[in-house]
């Protein structure tokens, strides 16, 4: 199985879902799915890296924290990200995101993400062994 | 939804009797057709809210209700602090104090149409809109705190607008008891360059014409005549509000257990009003309300500048400014007794009836203006609060059309260029930095706002006053 991402429908907003062989891969893919809500990830060149840390008492809250940390970095640094790396150790996530400054002409961003939510929030291993990390993001 | 889940109390009122852990009933105001088309999640979420401690009378949903975060969007619920009542970040939403402001222009379409393109271009140049856009204002740490305390009143003192504007804003433009110290540094940093920006998604600035008057007496009191041109601005508290929503949702989700609150859904995260976390959220949320009021005030100033350059001597005066994502302390009669309640409105507009002391004097006899946003191609509405509304959902009404189709589906169905061309053929000019954003916000992706407004009117939540149709839309 190759790690991948998808969107799922929510009435007003968008669901993001990452799928991978490990929780880390699923988290990385969920981040890519969130980027795709904003713009086409293929248009974003990963030229600069930002270190991200998140901490939460369980894996589901950790997913939301990870995505919200990315929302914060995008908003304050005016960046868009297209490559992610995640390491999870207990309640602590250490990661990196690579991207470039948002450019309306180049990236044609459709909408900004206000925050990742607890709606349809799930981090779990399916019976076939693959990990799924998902939630709805508010736009 | 399945109609058999409800007891039909009247043609537009549908009740769900308390069952399971529900402390009170849930009530949805809608036509039969709107109820049939409504997402099953509204039922579940309205029932979940009815389980929260200290809820008074019922958990309500407006005719435009749809699937939200813990609370349905279009949800209204009031809590009594003396009965263990709670405050919920999800019950306010991520975009704290998102709302609509409407301005008179004193112009008619005959004044606008010859300069429609130049005006659209100038508004688009002046109003920062879309992902990553920044405003011209940079606030120091102290200025940020002054803005979070002063709201639109602070903005007017900085030269953005006039004192006359303040009387036409809820809370007279300044939410009391805001505590900038309860707003995190991260939230403040996120707002640093976002003052005076429109945002993206469903936020917009529209130049509109009054297409139809439904209630001549109230319209006259509001200063609205058929064929008048008005400006409507829909936006909220930008990055600061989003960050506060995000941070307190987590804080409340972790703290709820310690307060002995069993959450039917994590997103319903809440804390007792009389608790440290509850009070901290109130202080921060009120600061975010001020941020939204200041933001809409600055956008008003930019709009006035844009008009002045194209149509000199135009005077833009405020009709009213409403917020539809809030929690406010209000006095309401419950079983004949006045009680101070914390009223959450998530995607719902306050709709005080005639005579209420919080309505500006010039409008008081007519009732509070209720401003309903539409989509780019359809209509917006002005309604007025009614006496009757107090007996329903704590003087609340709907806030907009609500989506009928997901963003993904809309993007697959329409192209941005096609939407812009079709609307141009109907005389509506769209300006937006994002073609994909326009496609995702295509008018066809929204429900029929007229059906929602009609249901609110027939249910007695508010009275329809005027229908507004767009001439220019600046889309984030």
């Amino acid at each position: 199985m190759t790690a991948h991402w998808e969107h799922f429908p929510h009435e007003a907003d968008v669901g993001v879902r990452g799928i991978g062989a490990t929780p880390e891969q699923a988290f990385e893919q969920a981040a890519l799915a969130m980027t795709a809500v904003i713009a086409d990830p293929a248009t974003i060149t990963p030229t600069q890296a930002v270190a991200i840390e998140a901490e939460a008492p369980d894996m589901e809250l950790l997913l939301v924290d990870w995505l919200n940390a990315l929302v914060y970095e995008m908003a304050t640094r005016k960046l868009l990200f297209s490559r992610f790396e995640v390491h999870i150790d207990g309640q602590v996530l250490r990661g990196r995101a690579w991207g470039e400054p948002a450019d309306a002409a180049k990236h044609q961003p459709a909408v900004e993400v206000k925050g990742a939510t607890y709606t349809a929030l799930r981090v779990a291993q399916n019976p076939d062994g693959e990990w799924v990390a998902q939630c709805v993001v508010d736009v | 939804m399945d109609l058999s889940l409800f007891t039909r109390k009247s043609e537009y009122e549908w009740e769900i009797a308390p069952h399971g852990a529900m402390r009170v009933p849930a009530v949805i105001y809608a036509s039969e057709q709107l109820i049939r088309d409504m997402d099953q999640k509204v039922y579940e979420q309205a029932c979940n809210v009815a389980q929260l401690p200290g809820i008074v009378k019922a958990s309500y949903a407006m005719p435009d209700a749809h699937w939200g975060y813990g609370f349905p969007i279009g949800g209204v619920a009031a809590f009594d602090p003396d009965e263990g009542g709670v405050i919920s970040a999800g019950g306010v939403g991520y975009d704290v104090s998102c709302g609509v402001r409407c301005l008179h222009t004193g112009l008619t379409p005959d004044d606008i149409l010859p300069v429609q393109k130049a005006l659209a271009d100038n508004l688009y140049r002046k109003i920062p809109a879309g992902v990553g856009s920044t405003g011209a204002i940079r606030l120091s740490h102290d200025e940020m705190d002054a803005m979070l305390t002063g709201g639109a009143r602070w903005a007017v003192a900085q030269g953005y607008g006039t004192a006359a504007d303040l009387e036409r804003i809820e809370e007279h433009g300044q939410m009391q008891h805001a505590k900038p110290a309860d707003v995190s540094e991260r939230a403040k940093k996120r707002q640093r360059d976002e003052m005076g920006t429109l945002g993206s998604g469903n936020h917009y600035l529209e130049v509109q014409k009054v297409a139809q008057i439904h209630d001549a007496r109230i319209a006259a009191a509001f200063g609205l005549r058929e064929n008048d041109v008005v400006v409507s601005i829909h936006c909220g508290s930008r990055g600061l509000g989003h960050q506060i929503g995000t941070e307190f949702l987590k804080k409340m989700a972790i703290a709820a257990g310690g307060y002995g609150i069993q959450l039917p859904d994590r997103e319903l995260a809440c804390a007792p009003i009389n608790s440290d976390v509850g009070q901290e959220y109130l202080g921060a949320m009120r600061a975010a309300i001020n941020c939204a009021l200041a933001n809409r005030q600055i956008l008003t100033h930019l709009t006035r500048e844009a008009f002045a350059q194209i149509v000199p001597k135009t005077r833009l005066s405020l009709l009213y400014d409403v917020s539809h994502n809030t929690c406010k302390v209000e006095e309401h009669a419950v079983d004949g007794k006045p009680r101070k309640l914390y009223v959450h409105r998530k995607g719902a507009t306050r709709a005080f009836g005639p005579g209420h002391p919080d309505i500006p004097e010039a409008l008081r006899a007519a009732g509070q203006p209720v401003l309903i946003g539409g989509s780019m191609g359809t209509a917006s509405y002005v309604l007025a609060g009614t006496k009757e509304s107090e007996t329903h959902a704590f003087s609340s009404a709907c806030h907009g059309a609500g989506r009928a189709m997901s963003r993904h589906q809309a993007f697959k169905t329409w192209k941005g260029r096609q939407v812009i061309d079709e609307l141009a053929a109907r005389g509506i000019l769209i300006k937006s930095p994002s073609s994909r954003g326009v496609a995702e916000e295509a008018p066809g992706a929204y429900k029929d706002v007229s059906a929602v407004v009609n249901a609110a009117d027939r249910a007695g939540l508010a009275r329809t006053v005027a229908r507004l149709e767009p001439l220019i839309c600046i889309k984030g």
Side-chain angles (χ1 to χ4, degrees):
Chain A
M1 189 220 39
T2 323
H4 62 285
W5 61 267
E6 59 197 27
H7 290 155
F8 60 93
H10 176 276
E11 208 172 5
D13 297 302
V14 190
V16 298
R17 179 181 291 141
I19 298 146
T22 61
E24 283 86 351
Q25 275 187 11
F27 274 46
E28 290 162 2
Q29 291 295 321
L32 203 51
M34 184 167 75
T35 289
V37 170
I38 306 163
D40 179 356
T43 64
I44 303 163
T45 318
T47 54
Q48 62 187 91
V50 176
I52 310 271
E53 272 201 40
E55 187 171 355
D58 63 58
M59 286 290 267
E60 290 185 338
L61 290 182
L62 193 60
L63 172 69
V64 174
D65 247 37
W66 154 243
L67 296 177
N68 277 327
L70 292 169
V71 167
Y72 177 80
E73 297 299 339
M74 284 192 283
T76 53
R77 295 174 192 263
K78 311 291 173 201
L79 292 174
L80 289 171
F81 299 120
S82 58
R83 203 184 126 209
F84 304 92
E85 188 184 286
V86 167
H87 302 281
I88 298 172
D89 183 7
Q91 300 191 353
V92 177
L93 177 153
R94 285 191 182 83
R96 278 202 290 176
W98 286 263
E100 65 177 336
D103 177 335
K106 183 180 182 195
H107 304 122
Q108 282 288 304
V111 70
E112 64 189 350
V113 172
K114 293 174 186 168
T117 78
Y118 298 166
T119 296
L121 172 59
R122 185 167 164 259
V123 177
Q125 192 171 20
N126 284 340
D128 59 7
E130 66 183 15
W131 281 85
V132 175
Q134 67 167 54
C135 72
V136 168
V137 296
D138 190 15
V139 296
Chain B
M1 287 194 283
D2 178 2
L3 298 184
S4 70
L5 295 166
F6 300 91
T7 308
R8 193 172 191 167
K9 305 292 277 187
S10 69
E11 199 183 344
Y12 290 89
E13 186 177 343
W14 308 75
E15 187 178 282
I16 305 157
H19 58 271
M22 286 169 71
R23 297 164 192 258
V24 292
V27 175
I28 303 178
Y29 292 98
S31 64
E32 184 172 325
Q33 191 58 47
L34 286 169
I35 283 274
R36 283 188 191 281
D37 294 345
M38 217 173 258
D39 194 315
Q40 184 68 28
K41 292 278 183 191
V42 175
Y43 175 93
E44 291 168 23
Q45 293 191 319
C47 290
N48 284 343
V49 171
Q51 301 178 20
L52 294 177
I55 187 165
V56 176
K57 271 173 79 179
S59 150
Y60 297 99
M62 300 289 109
D64 51 338
H66 52 277
W67 180 19
Y69 307 106
F71 276 59
I73 294 166
V76 176
F79 297 85
D80 187 336
D82 296 332
E83 293 181 358
V86 293
I87 183 155
S88 164
V92 171
Y94 288 85
D95 195 355
V96 177
S97 200
C98 182
V100 183
R101 163 178 291 213
C102 186
L103 305 157
H104 299 291
T105 67
L107 303 172
T108 67
D110 286 344
D111 301 314
I112 295 290
L113 291 177
V115 294
Q116 189 182 10
K117 187 172 180 307
L119 182 60
D121 289 344
N122 207 36
L123 284 166
Y124 185 56
R125 227 182 345 259
K126 287 267 182 192
I127 308 279
V131 180
S133 59
T134 55
I137 302 165
R138 296 289 176 281
L139 299 181
S140 69
H141 189 274
D142 288 353
E143 288 167 332
M144 176 69 72
D145 283 4
M147 181 275 288
L148 294 174
T149 309
R153 199 165 282 276
W154 168 87
V156 167
Q158 305 302 307
Y160 304 107
T162 67
D165 295 338
L166 299 172
E167 290 314 303
R168 297 295 186 111
I169 305 171
E170 288 181 345
E171 321 302 333
H172 306 286
Q174 181 183 25
M175 189 71 208
Q176 298 298 318
H177 310 299
K179 296 207 181 77
D182 290 336
V183 178
S184 71
E185 287 306 316
R186 284 169 79 84
K188 290 174 183 172
K189 188 173 172 198
R190 212 169 143 181
Q191 189 61 23
R192 209 174 38 187
D193 52 12
E194 293 199 352
M195 290 311 296
T197 62
L198 196 57
S200 65
N202 62 0
H203 294 156
Y204 61 77
L205 181 148
E206 278 190 357
V207 179
Q208 304 160 326
K209 70 170 178 201
V210 178
Q212 195 181 357
I213 296 289
H214 291 263
D215 186 309
R217 184 185 63 83
I218 301 177
F222 287 179
L224 292 171
R225 288 165 308 181
E226 198 166 314
N227 233 22
D228 277 355
V229 169
V230 298
V231 176
S232 292
I233 301 171
H234 176 219
C235 71
S237 51
R238 310 293 300 113
L240 182 126
H242 310 165
Q243 190 67 26
I244 289 173
T246 295
E247 289 172 6
F248 277 92
L249 207 63
K250 183 181 177 189
K251 251 183 212 177
M252 288 176 171
I254 293 170
Y259 293 121
I261 300 170
Q262 301 296 319
L263 293 176
D265 171 357
R266 252 181 169 176
E267 193 87 34
L268 269 176
C270 58
I273 294 160
N274 293 328
S275 70
D276 290 347
V277 175
Q279 288 299 313
E280 198 185 322
Y281 177 66
L282 269 170
M285 187 257 311
R286 287 165 173 160
I289 291 178
N290 282 329
C291 181
L293 298 181
N295 195 44
R296 288 198 286 275
Q297 187 63 34
I298 294 167
L299 289 170
T300 298
H301 175 75
L302 299 176
T303 306
R304 284 172 170 152
E305 285 188 342
F307 263 78
Q309 286 166 348
I310 305 297
V311 196
K313 293 186 184 155
T314 308
R315 194 174 157 271
L316 302 185
S317 60
L318 215 56
L319 166 57
Y320 204 59
D321 179 302
V322 299
S323 295
H324 48 229
N325 285 354
T326 61
C327 176
K328 290 185 178 176
V329 183
E330 294 168 12
E331 190 171 283
H332 290 280
V334 181
D335 300 325
K337 288 195 192 102
R339 284 167 70 177
K340 270 216 163 68
L341 303 174
Y342 285 66
V343 184
H344 292 67
R345 295 190 181 89
K346 168 69 197 101
T349 313
R350 197 186 74 177
F352 284 148
H356 195 285
D358 287 356
I359 304 173
E361 213 175 321
L363 307 174
R364 199 170 293 158
Q368 183 209 302
V370 175
L371 308 172
I372 307 299
S375 56
M376 294 179 283
T378 57
S380 301
Y381 281 87
V382 178
L383 285 71
T386 61
K387 275 273 180 225
E388 189 191 345
S389 187
E390 173 66 20
T391 64
H392 296 303
F394 302 107
S395 293
S396 308
C398 54
H399 84 307
R403 288 190 79 90
M405 190 189 280
S406 73
R407 291 185 163 272
H408 182 66
Q409 187 62 37
F411 185 50
K412 281 203 314 197
T413 309
W414 292 285
K415 291 277 163 281
R417 190 71 247 170
Q418 165 202 1
V419 173
I420 289 169
D421 289 346
E422 280 172 16
L423 290 170
R426 289 171 44 203
I428 304 166
L429 294 186
I430 307 294
K431 301 290 288 182
S432 173
S434 170
S435 163
R436 177 176 154 191
V438 170
E440 292 186 0
E441 288 286 324
Y446 280 84
K447 288 180 199 154
D448 177 10
V449 67
S450 305
V452 166
V453 165
N454 187 52
D457 182 302
R458 300 291 295 275
L461 300 174
R463 178 152 181 81
T464 315
V465 177
R467 173 184 164 95
L468 314 174
E469 292 179 356
L471 296 167
I472 295 170
C473 177
I474 311 298
K475 192 79 188 165

